[in-house]
Amino acid sequence: MKDMGNADNSIVPSNIENNTDNTGGAEASVSEDPVILELKHVCKTFKGGKKSTETKAVQDVSLVVRQGKSIGVVGESGCGKSTIARMITQFTPTSSGQILLDGQDITNIGPSGAKEIYRKVQMVFQDPYSVFSPRMQVGTFLEEGLLHFGIMSHAEAAKEAVALMEQVELSPDLLTRFPHQLSGGQQQRVAIARAISIKPKLLILDEATSALDVSVQKQVLKLLVKLQKRNNLSYLFIGHDLAVIRSITDQVIVMYAGRLMEEIDSEELDYHACHPYTQRLLGSVFSIHDRDVKEIELEYLGMEDDRESKGCVFCNRCPYAMDICSKEAPVMRTLHDNHRIACHLKDF
Amino acid sequence: MNILEVENLSITYDREKSAVDHVSFSVPDHSIICLVGESGSGKSTVLHGIMGLLPRSALVKGKVTLFGQDMIKAKKSRLNQMRGKDIAVIFQDTGRYMNPISTIGAQYREFLRQHGKYSKQECRDLAAEVLRRVHLQEPERVLDSYPFELSGGMRQRVGIAMAITLNPKILFADEPTSALDVTVQAQVIRQMMNLRTKYGTSIIMVTHNMGVAAYMADYIGVMQNGKLVEWGTAPEVIHNPKQEYTRNLLAAIVEMDDERLILSCG
């Protein structure tokens, strides 16, 4: 129904404009949607145990999530993508930099301030079963958030639970079930229902569909897109599956060893992404549509040593590495609108 | 010549519904087979059934012939002789099957001494050589490490190295790359394919990743609810599936060149 050309317009819902009275977003321009989340030069360093070693998990990461938009963060294990989510949700303190939520500085606001944040930010995790209390019925689980924040009375919350089940396309009959009686897909739908129950502005989805079977995964992805459009939600979608991320986000951020490598519109990802690391990731995707032999590096062992690199963190693996790459870290530069890259290579 | 023949294999736990229901297929020499399907379809159970690794509570019927040997009737001592030498296996998380309090080198030695007389130094040399073959740098350091000191990708490669040390004729792999990052997955898949090219090893792999199956398999079997619903060469199954179920499974894959869901729904 919508063509590829007006990707941006198609995200803006037509009916919801009523609950945006406190639009903060310092840098929101007139034409753009208000900024919900902004990270400015965020860093996270973990101090090691005995040897007083330091691990630079996240280095100098900046990103912007606008209302109703979906940003994907991709990268391999250890690239820092989940650490970013943990800093936003205050599970982990931020070492330096600034995190702005709805215009308010929430950097290291800590557990005491976190309750206020959770009204606006909710998370969905990879393993849905782990978020349930095993002996709590689905209905009670869905009402809990609403009661905790004092949004409604018991009677209202019970009604709302039925409405939430309908929103996530589950039968209200399941409200009296226990989590172990649900399938993985149903559990994840309930987890999503609870996350949106208190009407947050931002949903952080950390590998939310990775554990699901392919057919279930696609249904849950479709549901997420529908919910986003209906409720004007913003998504920060963390994952490692490039095809999935490309499919349900507006913009993709590629990370390696704690640093941003490339930022690009999702639509452009397969043809216009040009960072050597993004290329490598794209080359590692197995597709049912081609059986071409891929060029695969055989020597790579892990990114742990790369973090300490004075230059570009990717230079040890980069097929195009030059002298400067091991000496000087590349600065993020803009190639086109919305397409930014941290690489010393000149020609793309 | 078929290296493995499975005839009417049925596996039942506790008299309930069959986990595997009359599955038959055969594996030609030097070929790569992928069994695909969703969780609970019985694909891993088939693999464990062939290797004789099922718990005692499982009731196995049918016939499994591997190198002319009946695997279901075979004695445990005979199976132990074959395992690790003629048949090898790689699991999803090899690290979980390692002894956490002994070094890779010690575990490697224990494994080799099951199958022959090796001195300490011979074990070490052989292990180092095979680790190098799977492109692990600094094999000496790896041999002196405990499992927890290695990354998931490295442990998986140690598992592959152990599996291929004695040049098995057939390699069973149960979701060997599901827990790995995409670039590491690509490496491991490539290394497994090299085994067939260099040593003629047949491979039977269970996976839920249709892209991986399309890339490496000669034949693909699709399982649903314990039944083998489709079997054919990889191009046949991927491009011209006969069953509705296979078509739906293929359609559910989110691919790089599909229309993006963010545009098409809501």
Short mmCIF file of all heavy atoms in Angstrom, two decimals, chain B residues 31-76:
data_model
loop_
_atom_site.label_atom_id
_atom_site.label_comp_id
_atom_site.label_asym_id
_atom_site.label_seq_id
_atom_site.Cartn_x
_atom_site.Cartn_y
_atom_site.Cartn_z
N SER B 31 28.56 -36.71 1.17
CA SER B 31 27.54 -35.68 0.93
C SER B 31 27.25 -34.91 2.21
O SER B 31 27.57 -35.34 3.31
CB SER B 31 26.26 -36.31 0.39
OG SER B 31 25.79 -37.28 1.28
N ILE B 32 26.65 -33.74 2.05
CA ILE B 32 26.26 -32.92 3.18
C ILE B 32 24.73 -32.86 3.21
O ILE B 32 24.10 -32.50 2.23
CB ILE B 32 26.85 -31.50 3.08
CG1 ILE B 32 28.38 -31.57 3.10
CG2 ILE B 32 26.34 -30.63 4.21
CD1 ILE B 32 29.07 -30.23 3.03
N ILE B 33 24.17 -33.26 4.36
CA ILE B 33 22.72 -33.28 4.53
C ILE B 33 22.35 -32.27 5.59
O ILE B 33 23.01 -32.20 6.63
CB ILE B 33 22.26 -34.67 5.07
CG1 ILE B 33 22.85 -35.80 4.26
CG2 ILE B 33 20.74 -34.75 5.17
CD1 ILE B 33 22.23 -36.01 2.95
N CYS B 34 21.31 -31.50 5.38
CA CYS B 34 20.82 -30.64 6.44
C CYS B 34 19.38 -31.02 6.78
O CYS B 34 18.55 -31.15 5.88
CB CYS B 34 20.86 -29.17 6.03
SG CYS B 34 22.49 -28.46 6.12
N LEU B 35 19.12 -31.23 8.06
CA LEU B 35 17.75 -31.41 8.53
C LEU B 35 17.28 -30.08 9.10
O LEU B 35 17.91 -29.53 10.00
CB LEU B 35 17.69 -32.48 9.63
CG LEU B 35 17.94 -33.94 9.22
CD1 LEU B 35 17.87 -34.83 10.45
CD2 LEU B 35 16.93 -34.40 8.19
N VAL B 36 16.18 -29.56 8.55
CA VAL B 36 15.68 -28.27 9.04
C VAL B 36 14.27 -28.45 9.60
O VAL B 36 13.59 -29.44 9.31
CB VAL B 36 15.67 -27.19 7.94
CG1 VAL B 36 17.08 -26.92 7.44
CG2 VAL B 36 14.77 -27.59 6.78
N GLY B 37 13.83 -27.47 10.34
CA GLY B 37 12.50 -27.52 10.94
C GLY B 37 12.47 -26.63 12.15
O GLY B 37 13.50 -26.14 12.59
N GLU B 38 11.28 -26.42 12.71
CA GLU B 38 11.17 -25.52 13.85
C GLU B 38 11.41 -26.29 15.15
O GLU B 38 11.50 -27.52 15.14
CB GLU B 38 9.79 -24.87 13.85
CG GLU B 38 9.58 -24.11 12.54
CD GLU B 38 8.39 -23.20 12.60
OE1 GLU B 38 7.29 -23.62 12.26
OE2 GLU B 38 8.59 -22.04 12.98
N SER B 39 11.47 -25.56 16.27
CA SER B 39 11.74 -26.26 17.53
C SER B 39 10.65 -27.29 17.79
O SER B 39 9.48 -27.04 17.52
CB SER B 39 11.83 -25.30 18.71
OG SER B 39 11.45 -24.01 18.36
N GLY B 40 11.05 -28.44 18.29
CA GLY B 40 10.09 -29.49 18.60
C GLY B 40 9.70 -30.34 17.41
O GLY B 40 8.85 -31.20 17.52
N SER B 41 10.35 -30.14 16.26
CA SER B 41 9.97 -30.93 15.09
C SER B 41 10.64 -32.30 15.11
O SER B 41 10.30 -33.16 14.31
CB SER B 41 10.34 -30.19 13.81
OG SER B 41 11.72 -30.00 13.73
N GLY B 42 11.59 -32.51 16.00
CA GLY B 42 12.20 -33.84 16.13
C GLY B 42 13.51 -33.97 15.39
O GLY B 42 14.09 -35.05 15.34
N LYS B 43 14.02 -32.86 14.85
CA LYS B 43 15.24 -32.98 14.03
C LYS B 43 16.46 -33.39 14.87
O LYS B 43 17.23 -34.25 14.44
CB LYS B 43 15.50 -31.68 13.24
CG LYS B 43 15.49 -30.40 14.05
CD LYS B 43 15.44 -29.20 13.13
CE LYS B 43 15.79 -27.91 13.84
NZ LYS B 43 14.96 -27.59 15.03
N SER B 44 16.58 -32.82 16.06
CA SER B 44 17.71 -33.21 16.91
C SER B 44 17.54 -34.63 17.42
O SER B 44 18.52 -35.37 17.57
CB SER B 44 17.84 -32.28 18.12
OG SER B 44 18.22 -31.01 17.70
N THR B 45 16.30 -35.02 17.70
CA THR B 45 16.04 -36.37 18.21
C THR B 45 16.47 -37.42 17.18
O THR B 45 17.02 -38.47 17.54
CB THR B 45 14.55 -36.53 18.56
OG1 THR B 45 14.13 -35.37 19.28
CG2 THR B 45 14.31 -37.76 19.40
N VAL B 46 16.23 -37.13 15.90
CA VAL B 46 16.67 -38.05 14.85
C VAL B 46 18.19 -38.22 14.93
O VAL B 46 18.71 -39.34 14.92
CB VAL B 46 16.27 -37.52 13.45
CG1 VAL B 46 16.99 -38.29 12.36
CG2 VAL B 46 14.78 -37.61 13.25
N LEU B 47 18.87 -37.10 15.05
CA LEU B 47 20.34 -37.14 15.08
C LEU B 47 20.83 -37.95 16.28
O LEU B 47 21.70 -38.81 16.14
CB LEU B 47 20.85 -35.70 15.17
CG LEU B 47 22.25 -35.46 14.65
CD1 LEU B 47 22.27 -35.62 13.15
CD2 LEU B 47 22.71 -34.05 15.01
N HIS B 48 20.24 -37.68 17.44
CA HIS B 48 20.65 -38.41 18.64
C HIS B 48 20.29 -39.89 18.52
O HIS B 48 21.02 -40.75 19.00
CB HIS B 48 19.99 -37.79 19.88
CG HIS B 48 20.60 -36.49 20.26
ND1 HIS B 48 21.04 -36.21 21.53
CD2 HIS B 48 20.86 -35.38 19.53
CE1 HIS B 48 21.54 -34.99 21.55
NE2 HIS B 48 21.43 -34.47 20.36
N GLY B 49 19.15 -40.18 17.87
CA GLY B 49 18.74 -41.57 17.66
C GLY B 49 19.75 -42.33 16.82
O GLY B 49 20.09 -43.47 17.12
N ILE B 50 20.24 -41.69 15.78
CA ILE B 50 21.21 -42.34 14.90
C ILE B 50 22.49 -42.66 15.66
O ILE B 50 23.07 -43.72 15.52
CB ILE B 50 21.52 -41.44 13.68
CG1 ILE B 50 20.28 -41.25 12.82
CG2 ILE B 50 22.66 -42.04 12.85
CD1 ILE B 50 20.44 -40.20 11.74
N MET B 51 22.91 -41.73 16.51
CA MET B 51 24.18 -41.91 17.22
C MET B 51 24.03 -42.78 18.46
O MET B 51 25.01 -43.10 19.11
CB MET B 51 24.73 -40.56 17.64
CG MET B 51 25.19 -39.71 16.48
SD MET B 51 25.89 -38.15 17.03
CE MET B 51 24.46 -37.31 17.66
N GLY B 52 22.80 -43.13 18.82
CA GLY B 52 22.58 -43.91 20.03
C GLY B 52 22.81 -43.09 21.29
O GLY B 52 23.28 -43.61 22.30
N LEU B 53 22.46 -41.83 21.26
CA LEU B 53 22.70 -40.95 22.41
C LEU B 53 21.42 -40.62 23.17
O LEU B 53 21.40 -39.72 23.99
CB LEU B 53 23.36 -39.65 21.95
CG LEU B 53 24.81 -39.74 21.51
CD1 LEU B 53 25.30 -38.38 21.05
CD2 LEU B 53 25.68 -40.25 22.63
N LEU B 54 20.33 -41.34 22.87
CA LEU B 54 19.07 -41.02 23.53
C LEU B 54 19.06 -41.58 24.95
O LEU B 54 19.74 -42.55 25.25
CB LEU B 54 17.92 -41.65 22.74
CG LEU B 54 17.63 -40.99 21.39
CD1 LEU B 54 16.68 -41.87 20.59
CD2 LEU B 54 17.05 -39.62 21.56
N PRO B 55 18.27 -40.96 25.83
CA PRO B 55 18.15 -41.51 27.18
C PRO B 55 17.47 -42.88 27.14
O PRO B 55 16.80 -43.21 26.16
CB PRO B 55 17.27 -40.49 27.90
CG PRO B 55 16.57 -39.74 26.84
CD PRO B 55 17.48 -39.75 25.66
N ARG B 56 17.61 -43.63 28.23
CA ARG B 56 17.08 -44.99 28.22
C ARG B 56 15.57 -45.02 28.10
O ARG B 56 14.99 -46.00 27.65
CB ARG B 56 17.48 -45.68 29.52
CG ARG B 56 18.65 -46.61 29.29
CD ARG B 56 18.85 -47.48 30.50
NE ARG B 56 20.27 -47.57 30.78
CZ ARG B 56 20.78 -47.97 31.93
NH1 ARG B 56 19.96 -48.25 32.92
NH2 ARG B 56 22.06 -48.04 32.10
N SER B 57 14.92 -43.93 28.55
CA SER B 57 13.46 -43.92 28.53
C SER B 57 12.90 -43.87 27.11
O SER B 57 11.72 -44.08 26.89
CB SER B 57 12.95 -42.72 29.32
OG SER B 57 13.45 -41.53 28.73
N ALA B 58 13.75 -43.57 26.13
CA ALA B 58 13.27 -43.46 24.76
C ALA B 58 13.10 -44.84 24.14
O ALA B 58 13.96 -45.71 24.27
CB ALA B 58 14.24 -42.63 23.94
N LEU B 59 11.97 -45.01 23.45
CA LEU B 59 11.69 -46.27 22.78
C LEU B 59 11.99 -46.08 21.30
O LEU B 59 11.37 -45.24 20.64
CB LEU B 59 10.22 -46.64 22.99
CG LEU B 59 9.78 -47.98 22.43
CD1 LEU B 59 10.47 -49.12 23.17
CD2 LEU B 59 8.27 -48.11 22.55
N VAL B 60 12.99 -46.81 20.80
CA VAL B 60 13.41 -46.62 19.41
C VAL B 60 12.98 -47.80 18.56
O VAL B 60 13.24 -48.95 18.91
CB VAL B 60 14.95 -46.45 19.33
CG1 VAL B 60 15.38 -46.13 17.91
CG2 VAL B 60 15.41 -45.38 20.29
N LYS B 61 12.31 -47.52 17.45
CA LYS B 61 11.93 -48.58 16.51
C LYS B 61 12.48 -48.23 15.14
O LYS B 61 12.70 -47.06 14.84
CB LYS B 61 10.41 -48.69 16.44
CG LYS B 61 9.79 -49.47 17.56
CD LYS B 61 8.30 -49.65 17.26
CE LYS B 61 7.52 -49.93 18.52
NZ LYS B 61 6.18 -49.38 18.45
N GLY B 62 12.66 -49.23 14.30
CA GLY B 62 13.14 -48.99 12.95
C GLY B 62 14.57 -49.46 12.81
O GLY B 62 15.09 -50.18 13.66
N LYS B 63 15.20 -49.04 11.73
CA LYS B 63 16.53 -49.55 11.44
C LYS B 63 17.46 -48.41 11.04
O LYS B 63 17.10 -47.56 10.23
CB LYS B 63 16.42 -50.56 10.29
CG LYS B 63 17.56 -51.54 10.26
CD LYS B 63 17.33 -52.60 9.21
CE LYS B 63 18.58 -53.41 9.01
NZ LYS B 63 18.55 -54.15 7.76
N VAL B 64 18.63 -48.38 11.67
CA VAL B 64 19.64 -47.39 11.31
C VAL B 64 20.92 -48.14 10.95
O VAL B 64 21.47 -48.86 11.78
CB VAL B 64 19.93 -46.42 12.49
CG1 VAL B 64 21.05 -45.46 12.11
CG2 VAL B 64 18.68 -45.65 12.87
N THR B 65 21.34 -48.02 9.71
CA THR B 65 22.55 -48.73 9.28
C THR B 65 23.63 -47.72 8.92
O THR B 65 23.45 -46.91 8.02
CB THR B 65 22.25 -49.61 8.05
OG1 THR B 65 20.97 -50.21 8.21
CG2 THR B 65 23.31 -50.67 7.88
N LEU B 66 24.73 -47.75 9.69
CA LEU B 66 25.85 -46.85 9.45
C LEU B 66 27.07 -47.69 9.11
O LEU B 66 27.43 -48.57 9.90
CB LEU B 66 26.08 -46.00 10.69
CG LEU B 66 27.11 -44.88 10.63
CD1 LEU B 66 26.75 -43.85 9.59
CD2 LEU B 66 27.23 -44.21 11.99
N PHE B 67 27.69 -47.48 8.00
CA PHE B 67 28.77 -48.33 7.45
C PHE B 67 28.40 -49.81 7.55
O PHE B 67 29.21 -50.63 7.97
CB PHE B 67 30.13 -48.17 8.15
CG PHE B 67 30.41 -46.84 8.74
CD1 PHE B 67 30.54 -46.67 10.12
CD2 PHE B 67 30.57 -45.73 7.92
CE1 PHE B 67 30.82 -45.43 10.66
CE2 PHE B 67 30.85 -44.49 8.47
CZ PHE B 67 30.97 -44.34 9.83
N GLY B 68 27.17 -50.16 7.24
CA GLY B 68 26.76 -51.56 7.30
C GLY B 68 26.51 -52.10 8.70
O GLY B 68 26.16 -53.26 8.88
N GLN B 69 26.72 -51.28 9.69
CA GLN B 69 26.55 -51.70 11.09
C GLN B 69 25.17 -51.27 11.60
O GLN B 69 24.79 -50.11 11.42
CB GLN B 69 27.65 -51.05 11.93
CG GLN B 69 27.40 -50.99 13.41
CD GLN B 69 28.05 -52.15 14.12
OE1 GLN B 69 29.17 -52.52 13.82
NE2 GLN B 69 27.34 -52.73 15.07
N ASP B 70 24.43 -52.16 12.20
CA ASP B 70 23.12 -51.80 12.77
C ASP B 70 23.34 -51.03 14.07
O ASP B 70 23.81 -51.58 15.06
CB ASP B 70 22.30 -53.07 13.03
CG ASP B 70 20.87 -52.73 13.45
OD1 ASP B 70 20.68 -51.64 14.04
OD2 ASP B 70 19.97 -53.54 13.20
N MET B 71 23.01 -49.75 14.07
CA MET B 71 23.34 -48.88 15.20
C MET B 71 22.42 -49.09 16.39
O MET B 71 22.78 -48.81 17.53
CB MET B 71 23.27 -47.42 14.78
CG MET B 71 24.33 -47.00 13.80
SD MET B 71 25.97 -47.06 14.54
CE MET B 71 25.97 -45.53 15.48
N ILE B 72 21.19 -49.55 16.14
CA ILE B 72 20.25 -49.68 17.25
C ILE B 72 20.57 -50.92 18.07
O ILE B 72 20.45 -50.92 19.30
CB ILE B 72 18.80 -49.69 16.72
CG1 ILE B 72 18.49 -48.30 16.16
CG2 ILE B 72 17.81 -50.05 17.82
CD1 ILE B 72 17.18 -48.18 15.46
N LYS B 73 21.01 -51.98 17.38
CA LYS B 73 21.31 -53.23 18.10
C LYS B 73 22.75 -53.27 18.61
O LYS B 73 23.11 -54.14 19.39
CB LYS B 73 21.04 -54.43 17.19
CG LYS B 73 19.56 -54.60 16.89
CD LYS B 73 19.24 -55.98 16.34
CE LYS B 73 17.77 -56.09 15.99
NZ LYS B 73 17.55 -56.36 14.56
N ALA B 74 23.59 -52.32 18.15
CA ALA B 74 25.01 -52.39 18.48
C ALA B 74 25.26 -52.30 19.98
O ALA B 74 24.54 -51.61 20.70
CB ALA B 74 25.76 -51.27 17.76
N LYS B 75 26.27 -53.01 20.44
CA LYS B 75 26.64 -52.96 21.86
C LYS B 75 27.30 -51.63 22.18
O LYS B 75 27.90 -51.00 21.32
CB LYS B 75 27.63 -54.10 22.17
CG LYS B 75 26.98 -55.46 22.20
CD LYS B 75 27.71 -56.35 23.22
CE LYS B 75 27.04 -57.69 23.36
NZ LYS B 75 27.59 -58.68 22.41
N LYS B 76 27.22 -51.27 23.46
CA LYS B 76 27.77 -49.98 23.87
C LYS B 76 29.28 -49.92 23.61
O LYS B 76 29.81 -48.89 23.19
CB LYS B 76 27.49 -49.76 25.35
CG LYS B 76 27.47 -48.29 25.70
CD LYS B 76 27.14 -48.06 27.16
CE LYS B 76 27.44 -46.62 27.50
NZ LYS B 76 27.55 -46.39 28.92
#
